[in-house]
Amino acid sequence: MTRRAASDGTNGPVFTLVCPDQLQCSDDSNSMSIKEGARFHLYGNEEMLSTPGDWVVAHEPTAGTPAKLLLTKPAGTALPSVRVPTMAVLVRLHGGANGTVRNISFEGLTFSDADFDAQGGQEGFNQADWPPAMPSDGALRVSRAVGVRVDGCTFSHLGGGGIHVGNASSSVLVRNSSFLSPGQSGVVLTGTAATQPHHVTVEGCTFESPGSILSSAAGVLASTASDCVFRGNSVSNSSRWGIAVRTQGAATSRNNLIELNRIVGSGQATRDLGG
């Protein structure tokens, strides 16, 4: 980061953006040009705070708790900032050695104002329960659970995704719920050949602008899952995919049904896209 004099005479920050893959970012490829209105998210450097209202992701020095460092006054004045604790997960259903979580329902609830842990792009595709792979944060995390129902809920103002299902969870129903501009995917399913979710139904849901912060996202993203049904959903203006189901290594996705969905405006942020 370098600085130069701003129009008001103060020293403002100037950033030089360098594409990590010149083959994909050259002027000739016209694939990843920076367009007017593009947003950039910068992490971990408090010196970047220069204007009241600016913030960076920070960590408390003792416990390492994620927080937002918010600049409240002009830089250089007394008490320039406050630390705002954040949560990436609002509700976690997590079965362990003592057994599986069973028969939990969420009806008519709003999941809002959660942050995210993943700070970067895609680093492969998920197989472990919480790997540094494609972004898979979720306000509601379902792990080793059976018989979970999410009905008529709203997911809004999320830095991460809406629901993450993994670790051999099964018989999960997400129905008639709204996912409004989640930072990552609306619903994401991950696992290995042994731990992938089974019999997950996502039906009658609305996904508006999924992947608003981190672009490796979809309305519904299964990597991997089997015996699932994704029916009658509406996905609009997704950063990458509308509904994506994939196989990863030895973990094969089988017997999934995708029908009667309305998908418009996919690929808002990437060329690697599809309905």
Side-chain angles (χ1 to χ4, degrees), residues 3 10-11 46-52 70-81:
R3 293 182 179 271
T10 61
N11 289 326
E46 298 180 11
E47 294 180 0
M48 294 186 296
L49 299 178
S50 60
T51 304
L70 177 69
L71 192 68
T72 58
K73 295 182 178 181
T77 62
L79 299 175
S81 61

Side-chain angles (χ1 to χ4, degrees), residues 23-271:
L23 177 64
Q24 296 299 322
C25 299
S26 66
D27 292 337
D28 294 337
S29 71
N30 195 30
S31 62
M32 296 181 69
S33 58
I34 299 172
K35 298 181 179 179
E36 183 178 355
R39 296 184 301 166
F40 299 93
H41 300 269
L42 309 173
Y43 306 100
N45 189 340
E46 298 180 11
E47 294 180 0
M48 294 186 296
L49 299 178
S50 60
T51 304
D54 286 353
W55 60 271
V56 297
V57 175
H59 292 274
E60 296 295 342
T62 54
T65 303
K68 286 183 178 178
L69 184 64
L70 177 69
L71 192 68
T72 58
K73 295 182 178 181
T77 62
L79 299 175
S81 61
V82 294
R83 289 182 180 268
V84 182
T86 61
M87 296 177 61
V89 182
L90 299 181
V91 177
R92 187 193 306 271
L93 304 180
H94 185 73
N98 294 327
T100 301
V101 176
R102 293 183 178 274
N103 304 326
I104 304 293
S105 295
F106 302 89
E107 298 182 13
L109 300 179
T110 295
F111 296 79
S112 180
D113 299 297
D115 213 323
F116 60 96
D117 287 335
Q119 297 182 19
Q122 177 181 303
E123 299 177 23
F125 283 84
N126 304 58
Q127 289 195 296
D129 190 37
W130 193 310
M134 66 183 186
S136 61
D137 296 323
L140 171 60
R141 291 191 65 93
V142 179
S143 175
R144 200 179 178 193
V146 176
V148 176
R149 185 166 63 94
V150 180
D151 198 344
C153 293
T154 299
F155 295 79
S156 64
H157 300 94
L158 301 178
I163 303 173
H164 179 279
V165 182
N167 197 17
S169 296
S170 64
S171 299
V172 176
L173 171 64
V174 182
R175 182 173 62 185
N176 300 333
S177 296
S178 299
F179 300 80
L180 309 178
S181 299
Q184 298 172 21
S185 297
V187 178
V188 60
L189 295 78
T190 66
T192 65
T195 65
Q196 62 172 280
H198 287 263
H199 298 94
V200 177
T201 298
V202 181
E203 184 174 34
C205 294
T206 299
F207 302 89
E208 297 180 3
S209 302
S212 59
I213 292 180
L214 297 178
S215 299
S216 184
V220 180
L221 175 54
S223 176
T224 54
S226 294
D227 305 304
C228 298
V229 177
F230 309 129
R231 175 191 295 126
N233 302 289
S234 175
V235 186
S236 60
N237 301 321
S238 175
S239 60
R240 179 165 288 182
W241 307 292
I243 298 176
V245 179
R246 59 176 286 119
T247 285
Q248 176 65 15
T252 302
S253 294
R254 301 178 184 275
N255 304 322
N256 295 297
L257 175 63
I258 305 171
E259 65 176 5
L260 305 176
N261 300 284
R262 179 178 183 270
I263 301 173
V264 296
S266 297
Q268 294 292 314
T270 77
R271 292 181 69 195

